[in-house]
Amino acid sequence: MNQAALILIKPDGLKKSLTGNILTRLSETKLEIVAAKMVRVSKELAEEHYRHLKDRPFFGEIIKYLRGELHNRKKVMALIYWGEEAIKKCRQLAGATNPEEADPTSIRGSYGRITTSGVYENVIHVSSDGPDAEREIKLWFQPDEIIVELYPCKEVIDKEKKRKVWA
Ligand code: UDP
Ligand code: MG
């Protein structure tokens, strides 16, 4: 079954110049990249992304982490991988959440670490299942930014909206 997975290269991955390595590893999946962009992560976006963890003691720290406040890199790279069993394939290459428990040859096992304050800095995010991927993709991307129609959408005329165009 074809499915989509949201991948985020987190601020530690960017700070460590791992973008190329991570994309090379993910290319082993033979999946198709159907969207990619750099994002400056607002507090609202980070809190919505991690809303399932809002009652955990580390919530505040992972919001700062995703926003780049722990690495002085205020951005993430967001991508959508699409194809057969995309989530399973990407999560397998990513490895376990805790980088010390992750397979040492996985992305997180190779490049992740646990900070002195206990945050798992694990360089990438991968959606955990189909519904999660749909929720996350709709949060991070607009339909026009994705080169295939992943989910049903509708057309609206939005003339009032202020936006930038090339001068
Ligand atoms: N995290 C952490 N400590 C924990 C659990 C999670 O620092 O005990 C961080 C870690 O960066 C992880 C993120 O919170 O990637 C989201 O947690 P989740 O359980 O969704 O793990 P994931 O889906 O990223 O493997
Ligand atoms: Mg998760």
Side-chain angles (χ1 to χ4, degrees), residues 26-101:
L26 290 172
S27 72
E28 290 169 27
T29 62
K30 306 280 200 295
L31 295 165
E32 194 182 333
I33 297 172
V34 295
K37 64 177 176 180
M38 301 304 299
V39 184
R40 213 170 276 288
V41 184
S42 67
K43 191 160 180 283
E44 293 71 30
L45 175 57
E47 288 180 349
E48 187 58 26
H49 178 77
Y50 280 139
R51 71 173 185 195
H52 62 295
L53 298 169
K54 73 173 189 306
D55 297 326
R56 305 295 290 273
F58 52 81
F59 184 68
E61 280 299 295
I62 62 172
I63 298 306
K64 282 193 202 157
Y65 169 32
L66 195 64
R67 298 194 67 207
E69 290 175 20
L70 308 181
H71 298 92
N72 197 24
R73 281 289 188 289
K74 297 217 164 37
K75 60 197 168 189
V76 304
M77 186 170 188
L79 305 106
I80 303 171
Y81 279 75
W82 186 79
E84 185 71 26
E85 301 276 13
I87 294 173
K88 194 172 129 201
K89 287 176 180 165
C90 291
R91 282 195 80 90
Q92 192 146 15
L93 280 174
T97 305
N98 178 340
E100 281 186 4
E101 287 171 3

Side-chain angles (χ1 to χ4, degrees), residues 138 141-154:
K138 289 178 174 174
F141 286 92
Q142 294 301 315
D144 281 343
E145 297 175 308
I146 308 172
I147 60 161
V148 291
E149 189 172 317
L150 291 179
Y151 312 110
C153 38
K154 59 180 182 185

